[in-house]
Amino acid sequence: MSWQSYVDDHLMCEVEGGVLLTGAAIIGQDGSVWAQSSTFPEFKAEEIANIVKDFDEPGFLAPTGLYLAGSKYMVIQGEPHAVIRGKKGSGGITIKKTGQALIFGIYEEPMTPGQCNIVVERMGDYLIDQGL
């Protein structure tokens, strides 16, 4: 299965209530794009480096916020070294770290934060189980 099909079939899929993520991506921890939805924003390498640093040093992004494509997300409760969650207006972001990659999910209402977390974290857990 290609990385693009993981994004298209497993991240950008309808969940309960017929809602779906507004954008999703699988990005290597080095900042290389493995696959992304057509709606995933154009990010800067520095933004990915800061996200990776927050996984290594939990709390690094909390004072300044998490930035992706220049959009600022307030960092909210996550799981140190495993998951970063952010909120922006009526939407937000979930990022799950695997051994080699970062799984991104961006959402807007009517999708809930919990629905986004489930989609992104299940994919991340599966990739971790596969040694990725």
Side-chain angles (χ1 to χ4, degrees):
M1 186 182 300
S2 76
W3 289 114
Q4 192 61 50
S5 64
Y6 281 106
V7 170
D8 296 341
D9 301 339
H10 301 287
L11 292 173
M12 296 298 293
C13 59
E14 281 192 13
V15 297
E16 189 176 334
V19 296
L20 48 96
L21 295 171
T22 56
I26 302 173
I27 298 174
Q29 291 181 28
D30 62 359
S32 62
V33 176
W34 293 11
Q36 65 184 11
S37 66
S38 61
T39 54
F40 195 76
E42 190 74 36
F43 61 85
K44 298 179 183 96
E46 175 186 329
E47 294 169 330
I48 302 301
N50 286 337
I51 291 166
V52 170
K53 186 168 183 172
D54 191 79
F55 280 114
D56 295 338
E57 300 173 27
F60 172 75
L61 291 174
T64 59
L66 182 159
Y67 285 86
L68 188 68
S71 292
K72 181 179 180 178
Y73 294 85
M74 179 178 63
V75 178
I76 55 176
Q77 159 268 337
E79 298 168 29
H81 308 289
V83 178
I84 298 171
R85 297 184 184 103
K87 186 88 174 117
K88 181 182 134 205
S90 63
I93 189 168
T94 301
I95 308 165
K96 170 78 175 184
K97 180 182 177 192
T98 72
Q100 300 174 27
L102 304 172
I103 315 301
F104 286 77
I106 301 171
Y107 69 93
E108 289 291 337
E109 288 183 342
M111 180 174 259
T112 67
Q115 288 172 313
C116 178
N117 295 343
I118 289 169
V119 170
V120 172
E121 293 176 40
R122 277 188 185 157
M123 171 60 68
D125 290 341
Y126 171 78
L127 293 178
I128 289 168
D129 289 345
Q130 300 304 306
L132 299 166

